[in-house]
PDB file of all heavy atoms in Angstrom:
ATOM      1  N   ILE A   1     178.115 -42.922   9.117  1.00  0.00           N
ATOM      2  CA  ILE A   1     177.519 -42.195   8.074  1.00  0.00           C
ATOM      3  C   ILE A   1     176.618 -41.121   8.727  1.00  0.00           C
ATOM      4  O   ILE A   1     175.871 -41.455   9.599  1.00  0.00           O
ATOM      5  CB  ILE A   1     176.684 -43.015   7.144  1.00  0.00           C
ATOM      6  CG1 ILE A   1     177.581 -44.076   6.449  1.00  0.00           C
ATOM      7  CG2 ILE A   1     175.953 -42.202   6.099  1.00  0.00           C
ATOM      8  CD1 ILE A   1     176.842 -45.123   5.692  1.00  0.00           C
ATOM      9  N   TRP A  16     187.413 -38.603  -4.121  1.00  0.00           N
ATOM     10  CA  TRP A  16     187.905 -39.767  -4.838  1.00  0.00           C
ATOM     11  C   TRP A  16     189.257 -39.591  -5.429  1.00  0.00           C
ATOM     12  O   TRP A  16     190.042 -40.543  -5.511  1.00  0.00           O
ATOM     13  CB  TRP A  16     186.848 -40.166  -5.883  1.00  0.00           C
ATOM     14  CG  TRP A  16     185.749 -40.901  -5.231  1.00  0.00           C
ATOM     15  CD1 TRP A  16     184.568 -40.441  -4.714  1.00  0.00           C
ATOM     16  CD2 TRP A  16     185.741 -42.319  -4.901  1.00  0.00           C
ATOM     17  NE1 TRP A  16     183.800 -41.456  -4.103  1.00  0.00           N
ATOM     18  CE2 TRP A  16     184.538 -42.609  -4.231  1.00  0.00           C
ATOM     19  CE3 TRP A  16     186.597 -43.379  -5.174  1.00  0.00           C
ATOM     20  CZ2 TRP A  16     184.192 -43.872  -3.835  1.00  0.00           C
ATOM     21  CZ3 TRP A  16     186.299 -44.644  -4.781  1.00  0.00           C
ATOM     22  CH2 TRP A  16     185.075 -44.902  -4.098  1.00  0.00           C
ATOM     23  N   ASN A  19     191.458 -40.294  -2.472  1.00  0.00           N
ATOM     24  CA  ASN A  19     191.399 -41.609  -1.921  1.00  0.00           C
ATOM     25  C   ASN A  19     191.642 -42.745  -2.989  1.00  0.00           C
ATOM     26  O   ASN A  19     191.506 -43.895  -2.640  1.00  0.00           O
ATOM     27  CB  ASN A  19     189.903 -41.876  -1.394  1.00  0.00           C
ATOM     28  CG  ASN A  19     189.677 -41.053  -0.106  1.00  0.00           C
ATOM     29  OD1 ASN A  19     190.644 -40.838   0.729  1.00  0.00           O
ATOM     30  ND2 ASN A  19     188.473 -40.634   0.067  1.00  0.00           N
ATOM     31  N   ALA A  22     194.045 -45.538  -1.903  1.00  0.00           N
ATOM     32  CA  ALA A  22     193.476 -46.364  -0.880  1.00  0.00           C
ATOM     33  C   ALA A  22     192.381 -47.352  -1.449  1.00  0.00           C
ATOM     34  O   ALA A  22     192.256 -48.506  -1.087  1.00  0.00           O
ATOM     35  CB  ALA A  22     192.916 -45.591   0.230  1.00  0.00           C
ATOM     36  N   TRP A  23     191.597 -46.778  -2.304  1.00  0.00           N
ATOM     37  CA  TRP A  23     190.524 -47.498  -2.962  1.00  0.00           C
ATOM     38  C   TRP A  23     191.090 -48.724  -3.788  1.00  0.00           C
ATOM     39  O   TRP A  23     190.631 -49.889  -3.703  1.00  0.00           O
ATOM     40  CB  TRP A  23     189.593 -46.660  -3.899  1.00  0.00           C
ATOM     41  CG  TRP A  23     188.568 -47.475  -4.567  1.00  0.00           C
ATOM     42  CD1 TRP A  23     188.484 -47.842  -5.871  1.00  0.00           C
ATOM     43  CD2 TRP A  23     187.430 -48.009  -3.974  1.00  0.00           C
ATOM     44  NE1 TRP A  23     187.353 -48.488  -6.168  1.00  0.00           N
ATOM     45  CE2 TRP A  23     186.669 -48.689  -4.961  1.00  0.00           C
ATOM     46  CE3 TRP A  23     186.853 -48.072  -2.698  1.00  0.00           C
ATOM     47  CZ2 TRP A  23     185.474 -49.322  -4.759  1.00  0.00           C
ATOM     48  CZ3 TRP A  23     185.659 -48.705  -2.462  1.00  0.00           C
ATOM     49  CH2 TRP A  23     184.981 -49.304  -3.483  1.00  0.00           C
ATOM     50  N   ILE A  24     192.149 -48.405  -4.535  1.00  0.00           N
ATOM     51  CA  ILE A  24     192.788 -49.516  -5.356  1.00  0.00           C
ATOM     52  C   ILE A  24     193.328 -50.605  -4.437  1.00  0.00           C
ATOM     53  O   ILE A  24     193.120 -51.820  -4.739  1.00  0.00           O
ATOM     54  CB  ILE A  24     193.949 -48.856  -6.204  1.00  0.00           C
ATOM     55  CG1 ILE A  24     193.374 -48.051  -7.372  1.00  0.00           C
ATOM     56  CG2 ILE A  24     194.837 -49.986  -6.760  1.00  0.00           C
ATOM     57  CD1 ILE A  24     194.374 -47.104  -8.056  1.00  0.00           C
ATOM     58  N   ASN A  25     193.921 -50.228  -3.337  1.00  0.00           N
ATOM     59  CA  ASN A  25     194.465 -51.242  -2.324  1.00  0.00           C
ATOM     60  C   ASN A  25     193.273 -52.078  -1.789  1.00  0.00           C
ATOM     61  O   ASN A  25     193.383 -53.231  -1.642  1.00  0.00           O
ATOM     62  CB  ASN A  25     195.186 -50.531  -1.186  1.00  0.00           C
ATOM     63  CG  ASN A  25     196.504 -49.967  -1.641  1.00  0.00           C
ATOM     64  OD1 ASN A  25     197.096 -50.391  -2.627  1.00  0.00           O
ATOM     65  ND2 ASN A  25     197.015 -48.992  -0.884  1.00  0.00           N
ATOM     66  N   THR A  26     192.189 -51.412  -1.483  1.00  0.00           N
ATOM     67  CA  THR A  26     191.019 -52.060  -0.895  1.00  0.00           C
ATOM     68  C   THR A  26     190.467 -53.156  -1.885  1.00  0.00           C
ATOM     69  O   THR A  26     190.118 -54.227  -1.576  1.00  0.00           O
ATOM     70  CB  THR A  26     189.895 -51.073  -0.599  1.00  0.00           C
ATOM     71  OG1 THR A  26     190.383 -50.173   0.437  1.00  0.00           O
ATOM     72  CG2 THR A  26     188.622 -51.742  -0.087  1.00  0.00           C
ATOM     73  N   ILE A  27     190.451 -52.747  -3.201  1.00  0.00           N
ATOM     74  CA  ILE A  27     189.914 -53.694  -4.179  1.00  0.00           C
ATOM     75  C   ILE A  27     190.908 -54.815  -4.440  1.00  0.00           C
ATOM     76  O   ILE A  27     190.535 -56.012  -4.474  1.00  0.00           O
ATOM     77  CB  ILE A  27     189.627 -52.943  -5.519  1.00  0.00           C
ATOM     78  CG1 ILE A  27     188.548 -51.884  -5.326  1.00  0.00           C
ATOM     79  CG2 ILE A  27     189.193 -53.965  -6.607  1.00  0.00           C
ATOM     80  CD1 ILE A  27     187.286 -52.361  -4.695  1.00  0.00           C
ATOM     81  N   ASN A  29     192.994 -56.036  -2.394  1.00  0.00           N
ATOM     82  CA  ASN A  29     192.987 -56.928  -1.198  1.00  0.00           C
ATOM     83  C   ASN A  29     191.665 -57.599  -0.964  1.00  0.00           C
ATOM     84  O   ASN A  29     191.519 -58.333   0.043  1.00  0.00           O
ATOM     85  CB  ASN A  29     193.412 -56.144  -0.021  1.00  0.00           C
ATOM     86  CG  ASN A  29     194.863 -55.588  -0.041  1.00  0.00           C
ATOM     87  OD1 ASN A  29     195.678 -56.213  -0.703  1.00  0.00           O
ATOM     88  ND2 ASN A  29     195.114 -54.449   0.563  1.00  0.00           N
ATOM     89  N   ASN A  30     190.670 -57.329  -1.860  1.00  0.00           N
ATOM     90  CA  ASN A  30     189.421 -57.952  -1.788  1.00  0.00           C
ATOM     91  C   ASN A  30     188.710 -57.805  -0.437  1.00  0.00           C
ATOM     92  O   ASN A  30     188.234 -58.795   0.209  1.00  0.00           O
ATOM     93  CB  ASN A  30     189.578 -59.486  -2.030  1.00  0.00           C
ATOM     94  CG  ASN A  30     188.570 -60.056  -3.024  1.00  0.00           C
ATOM     95  OD1 ASN A  30     187.679 -59.274  -3.411  1.00  0.00           O
ATOM     96  ND2 ASN A  30     188.680 -61.298  -3.290  1.00  0.00           N
ATOM     97  N   GLU A  31     188.731 -56.536   0.018  1.00  0.00           N
ATOM     98  CA  GLU A  31     188.279 -56.273   1.431  1.00  0.00           C
ATOM     99  C   GLU A  31     186.772 -56.142   1.616  1.00  0.00           C
ATOM    100  O   GLU A  31     186.251 -56.210   2.715  1.00  0.00           O
ATOM    101  CB  GLU A  31     188.901 -55.006   1.953  1.00  0.00           C
ATOM    102  CG  GLU A  31     190.388 -55.104   2.241  1.00  0.00           C
ATOM    103  CD  GLU A  31     190.977 -53.743   2.823  1.00  0.00           C
ATOM    104  OE1 GLU A  31     190.200 -53.041   3.426  1.00  0.00           O
ATOM    105  OE2 GLU A  31     192.138 -53.527   2.498  1.00  0.00           O
ATOM    106  N   ILE A  32     186.027 -55.945   0.463  1.00  0.00           N
ATOM    107  CA  ILE A  32     184.625 -55.660   0.588  1.00  0.00           C
ATOM    108  C   ILE A  32     183.810 -56.871   0.503  1.00  0.00           C
ATOM    109  O   ILE A  32     183.677 -57.485  -0.616  1.00  0.00           O
ATOM    110  CB  ILE A  32     184.187 -54.527  -0.433  1.00  0.00           C
ATOM    111  CG1 ILE A  32     185.020 -53.333  -0.267  1.00  0.00           C
ATOM    112  CG2 ILE A  32     182.705 -54.201  -0.191  1.00  0.00           C
ATOM    113  CD1 ILE A  32     184.813 -52.216  -1.316  1.00  0.00           C
ATOM    114  N   GLU A  33     183.305 -57.344   1.618  1.00  0.00           N
ATOM    115  CA  GLU A  33     182.676 -58.657   1.707  1.00  0.00           C
ATOM    116  C   GLU A  33     181.450 -58.762   0.792  1.00  0.00           C
ATOM    117  O   GLU A  33     181.303 -59.782   0.057  1.00  0.00           O
ATOM    118  CB  GLU A  33     182.267 -58.962   3.123  1.00  0.00           C
ATOM    119  CG  GLU A  33     181.863 -60.413   3.408  1.00  0.00           C
ATOM    120  CD  GLU A  33     183.016 -61.393   3.370  1.00  0.00           C
ATOM    121  OE1 GLU A  33     184.186 -60.982   3.472  1.00  0.00           O
ATOM    122  OE2 GLU A  33     182.738 -62.630   3.334  1.00  0.00           O
ATOM    123  N   SER A  34     180.679 -57.683   0.717  1.00  0.00           N
ATOM    124  CA  SER A  34     179.435 -57.854  -0.076  1.00  0.00           C
ATOM    125  C   SER A  34     179.744 -57.916  -1.555  1.00  0.00           C
ATOM    126  O   SER A  34     178.955 -58.523  -2.320  1.00  0.00           O
ATOM    127  CB  SER A  34     178.574 -56.548   0.188  1.00  0.00           C
ATOM    128  OG  SER A  34     179.234 -55.439  -0.184  1.00  0.00           O
ATOM    129  N   ARG A  35     180.856 -57.362  -2.047  1.00  0.00           N
ATOM    130  CA  ARG A  35     181.246 -57.512  -3.392  1.00  0.00           C
ATOM    131  C   ARG A  35     181.562 -58.947  -3.729  1.00  0.00           C
ATOM    132  O   ARG A  35     181.209 -59.516  -4.744  1.00  0.00           O
ATOM    133  CB  ARG A  35     182.466 -56.612  -3.711  1.00  0.00           C
ATOM    134  CG  ARG A  35     182.117 -55.112  -3.790  1.00  0.00           C
ATOM    135  CD  ARG A  35     183.394 -54.354  -3.931  1.00  0.00           C
ATOM    136  NE  ARG A  35     184.132 -54.590  -5.116  1.00  0.00           N
ATOM    137  CZ  ARG A  35     184.353 -53.749  -6.108  1.00  0.00           C
ATOM    138  NH1 ARG A  35     183.960 -52.520  -6.019  1.00  0.00           N
ATOM    139  NH2 ARG A  35     185.053 -54.129  -7.153  1.00  0.00           N
ATOM    140  N   LEU A 152     173.484 -48.964  -3.505  1.00  0.00           N
ATOM    141  CA  LEU A 152     173.120 -49.397  -2.140  1.00  0.00           C
ATOM    142  C   LEU A 152     171.624 -49.549  -2.077  1.00  0.00           C
ATOM    143  O   LEU A 152     170.866 -48.644  -2.475  1.00  0.00           O
ATOM    144  CB  LEU A 152     173.572 -48.378  -1.110  1.00  0.00           C
ATOM    145  CG  LEU A 152     175.037 -48.476  -0.578  1.00  0.00           C
ATOM    146  CD1 LEU A 152     175.282 -47.327   0.381  1.00  0.00           C
ATOM    147  CD2 LEU A 152     175.330 -49.783  -0.023  1.00  0.00           C
ATOM    148  N   GLU A 170     180.710 -41.050   3.869  1.00  0.00           N
ATOM    149  CA  GLU A 170     181.377 -42.372   4.153  1.00  0.00           C
ATOM    150  C   GLU A 170     182.672 -42.051   4.840  1.00  0.00           C
ATOM    151  O   GLU A 170     183.546 -41.417   4.203  1.00  0.00           O
ATOM    152  CB  GLU A 170     181.542 -43.078   2.832  1.00  0.00           C
ATOM    153  CG  GLU A 170     182.326 -44.335   2.939  1.00  0.00           C
ATOM    154  CD  GLU A 170     181.781 -45.362   3.935  1.00  0.00           C
ATOM    155  OE1 GLU A 170     180.746 -45.930   3.639  1.00  0.00           O
ATOM    156  OE2 GLU A 170     182.437 -45.626   4.967  1.00  0.00           O
ATOM    157  N   LEU A 171     182.819 -42.587   6.018  1.00  0.00           N
ATOM    158  CA  LEU A 171     184.001 -42.337   6.813  1.00  0.00           C
ATOM    159  C   LEU A 171     185.090 -43.425   6.624  1.00  0.00           C
ATOM    160  O   LEU A 171     186.169 -43.310   7.211  1.00  0.00           O
ATOM    161  CB  LEU A 171     183.665 -42.142   8.303  1.00  0.00           C
ATOM    162  CG  LEU A 171     182.690 -41.013   8.629  1.00  0.00           C
ATOM    163  CD1 LEU A 171     182.328 -40.975  10.101  1.00  0.00           C
ATOM    164  CD2 LEU A 171     183.255 -39.691   8.146  1.00  0.00           C
ATOM    165  N   TRP A 172     184.747 -44.506   5.931  1.00  0.00           N
ATOM    166  CA  TRP A 172     185.698 -45.601   5.683  1.00  0.00           C
ATOM    167  C   TRP A 172     186.188 -46.346   6.880  1.00  0.00           C
ATOM    168  O   TRP A 172     187.274 -46.904   6.923  1.00  0.00           O
ATOM    169  CB  TRP A 172     186.944 -45.051   4.876  1.00  0.00           C
ATOM    170  CG  TRP A 172     186.624 -44.253   3.665  1.00  0.00           C
ATOM    171  CD1 TRP A 172     186.768 -42.934   3.489  1.00  0.00           C
ATOM    172  CD2 TRP A 172     186.067 -44.714   2.377  1.00  0.00           C
ATOM    173  NE1 TRP A 172     186.370 -42.479   2.276  1.00  0.00           N
ATOM    174  CE2 TRP A 172     185.946 -43.599   1.527  1.00  0.00           C
ATOM    175  CE3 TRP A 172     185.680 -45.981   1.893  1.00  0.00           C
ATOM    176  CZ2 TRP A 172     185.459 -43.710   0.231  1.00  0.00           C
ATOM    177  CZ3 TRP A 172     185.267 -46.070   0.629  1.00  0.00           C
ATOM    178  CH2 TRP A 172     185.148 -44.937  -0.215  1.00  0.00           C
ATOM    179  N   ASP A 173     185.399 -46.296   7.966  1.00  0.00           N
ATOM    180  CA  ASP A 173     185.852 -46.864   9.246  1.00  0.00           C
ATOM    181  C   ASP A 173     186.120 -48.360   9.180  1.00  0.00           C
ATOM    182  O   ASP A 173     186.999 -48.870   9.904  1.00  0.00           O
ATOM    183  CB  ASP A 173     184.739 -46.648  10.332  1.00  0.00           C
ATOM    184  CG  ASP A 173     184.624 -45.132  10.729  1.00  0.00           C
ATOM    185  OD1 ASP A 173     185.622 -44.414  10.286  1.00  0.00           O
ATOM    186  OD2 ASP A 173     183.614 -44.793  11.338  1.00  0.00           O
ATOM    187  N   SER A 174     185.420 -49.074   8.308  1.00  0.00           N
ATOM    188  CA  SER A 174     185.565 -50.554   8.282  1.00  0.00           C
ATOM    189  C   SER A 174     186.696 -51.039   7.327  1.00  0.00           C
ATOM    190  O   SER A 174     186.825 -52.187   7.131  1.00  0.00           O
ATOM    191  CB  SER A 174     184.207 -51.174   7.879  1.00  0.00           C
ATOM    192  OG  SER A 174     183.816 -50.712   6.624  1.00  0.00           O
ATOM    193  N   PHE A 175     187.412 -50.103   6.724  1.00  0.00           N
ATOM    194  CA  PHE A 175     188.401 -50.527   5.786  1.00  0.00           C
ATOM    195  C   PHE A 175     189.840 -50.459   6.372  1.00  0.00           C
ATOM    196  O   PHE A 175     190.156 -49.613   7.191  1.00  0.00           O
ATOM    197  CB  PHE A 175     188.357 -49.577   4.544  1.00  0.00           C
ATOM    198  CG  PHE A 175     187.047 -49.724   3.754  1.00  0.00           C
ATOM    199  CD1 PHE A 175     185.955 -48.964   4.038  1.00  0.00           C
ATOM    200  CD2 PHE A 175     186.957 -50.642   2.729  1.00  0.00           C
ATOM    201  CE1 PHE A 175     184.741 -49.075   3.371  1.00  0.00           C
ATOM    202  CE2 PHE A 175     185.807 -50.743   2.006  1.00  0.00           C
ATOM    203  CZ  PHE A 175     184.657 -50.016   2.333  1.00  0.00           C
ATOM    204  N   LYS A 176     190.733 -51.352   5.870  1.00  0.00           N
ATOM    205  CA  LYS A 176     192.044 -51.361   6.348  1.00  0.00           C
ATOM    206  C   LYS A 176     192.930 -50.333   5.833  1.00  0.00           C
ATOM    207  O   LYS A 176     193.818 -49.811   6.461  1.00  0.00           O
ATOM    208  CB  LYS A 176     192.687 -52.777   6.097  1.00  0.00           C
ATOM    209  CG  LYS A 176     192.000 -53.898   6.788  1.00  0.00           C
ATOM    210  CD  LYS A 176     192.575 -55.249   6.350  1.00  0.00           C
ATOM    211  CE  LYS A 176     191.734 -56.431   6.888  1.00  0.00           C
ATOM    212  NZ  LYS A 176     192.155 -57.712   6.203  1.00  0.00           N
ATOM    213  N   SER A 177     192.714 -50.002   4.548  1.00  0.00           N
ATOM    214  CA  SER A 177     193.519 -49.033   3.846  1.00  0.00           C
ATOM    215  C   SER A 177     193.291 -47.649   4.429  1.00  0.00           C
ATOM    216  O   SER A 177     192.227 -47.335   4.971  1.00  0.00           O
ATOM    217  CB  SER A 177     193.258 -48.985   2.350  1.00  0.00           C
ATOM    218  OG  SER A 177     193.511 -50.235   1.744  1.00  0.00           O
ATOM    219  N   GLU A 178     194.336 -46.784   4.334  1.00  0.00           N
ATOM    220  CA  GLU A 178     194.172 -45.417   4.964  1.00  0.00           C
ATOM    221  C   GLU A 178     193.623 -44.450   3.936  1.00  0.00           C
ATOM    222  O   GLU A 178     194.285 -43.966   3.037  1.00  0.00           O
ATOM    223  CB  GLU A 178     195.651 -44.987   5.319  1.00  0.00           C
ATOM    224  CG  GLU A 178     195.592 -43.762   6.300  1.00  0.00           C
ATOM    225  CD  GLU A 178     196.953 -43.437   6.881  1.00  0.00           C
ATOM    226  OE1 GLU A 178     197.698 -44.417   7.150  1.00  0.00           O
ATOM    227  OE2 GLU A 178     197.240 -42.257   7.017  1.00  0.00           O
ATOM    228  N   PHE A 179     192.374 -44.236   4.109  1.00  0.00           N
ATOM    229  CA  PHE A 179     191.634 -43.180   3.297  1.00  0.00           C
ATOM    230  C   PHE A 179     191.909 -41.794   3.858  1.00  0.00           C
ATOM    231  O   PHE A 179     191.751 -41.539   5.081  1.00  0.00           O
ATOM    232  CB  PHE A 179     190.179 -43.505   3.236  1.00  0.00           C
ATOM    233  CG  PHE A 179     189.824 -44.685   2.368  1.00  0.00           C
ATOM    234  CD1 PHE A 179     189.914 -45.950   2.955  1.00  0.00           C
ATOM    235  CD2 PHE A 179     189.398 -44.524   1.124  1.00  0.00           C
ATOM    236  CE1 PHE A 179     189.612 -47.148   2.115  1.00  0.00           C
ATOM    237  CE2 PHE A 179     189.068 -45.645   0.292  1.00  0.00           C
ATOM    238  CZ  PHE A 179     189.236 -46.898   0.793  1.00  0.00           C
ATOM    239  N   LYS A 180     192.262 -40.914   2.963  1.00  0.00           N
ATOM    240  CA  LYS A 180     192.745 -39.547   3.382  1.00  0.00           C
ATOM    241  C   LYS A 180     191.557 -38.643   3.683  1.00  0.00           C
ATOM    242  O   LYS A 180     191.754 -37.680   4.363  1.00  0.00           O
ATOM    243  CB  LYS A 180     193.626 -38.930   2.252  1.00  0.00           C
ATOM    244  CG  LYS A 180     194.918 -39.685   2.026  1.00  0.00           C
ATOM    245  CD  LYS A 180     195.682 -39.005   0.913  1.00  0.00           C
ATOM    246  CE  LYS A 180     196.978 -39.736   0.698  1.00  0.00           C
ATOM    247  NZ  LYS A 180     197.733 -39.195  -0.453  1.00  0.00           N
ATOM    248  N   GLN A 181     190.405 -38.966   3.080  1.00  0.00           N
ATOM    249  CA  GLN A 181     189.327 -37.992   3.252  1.00  0.00           C
ATOM    250  C   GLN A 181     187.958 -38.672   3.259  1.00  0.00           C
ATOM    251  O   GLN A 181     187.816 -39.645   2.517  1.00  0.00           O
ATOM    252  CB  GLN A 181     189.401 -37.056   1.951  1.00  0.00           C
ATOM    253  CG  GLN A 181     188.356 -35.923   1.904  1.00  0.00           C
ATOM    254  CD  GLN A 181     188.608 -35.093   0.679  1.00  0.00           C
ATOM    255  OE1 GLN A 181     189.674 -35.122   0.045  1.00  0.00           O
ATOM    256  NE2 GLN A 181     187.677 -34.277   0.263  1.00  0.00           N
ATOM    257  N   ALA A 183     184.225 -39.433   2.239  1.00  0.00           N
ATOM    258  CA  ALA A 183     183.689 -39.284   0.839  1.00  0.00           C
ATOM    259  C   ALA A 183     182.214 -38.966   0.988  1.00  0.00           C
ATOM    260  O   ALA A 183     181.392 -39.752   1.549  1.00  0.00           O
ATOM    261  CB  ALA A 183     183.833 -40.635   0.125  1.00  0.00           C
TER     262      ALA A 183
END
Side-chain angles (χ1 to χ4, degrees):
I1 298 171
W16 279 91
N19 290 324
W23 178 255
I24 289 166
N25 290 337
T26 297
I27 298 306
N29 295 331
N30 226 358
E31 287 182 31
I32 305 175
E33 193 72 14
S34 59
R35 287 173 61 118
L152 278 177
E170 171 59 67
L171 301 177
W172 309 108
D173 292 344
S174 60
F175 295 88
K176 296 173 188 170
S177 300
E178 194 171 323
F179 286 82
K180 296 178 180 178
Q181 184 178 341

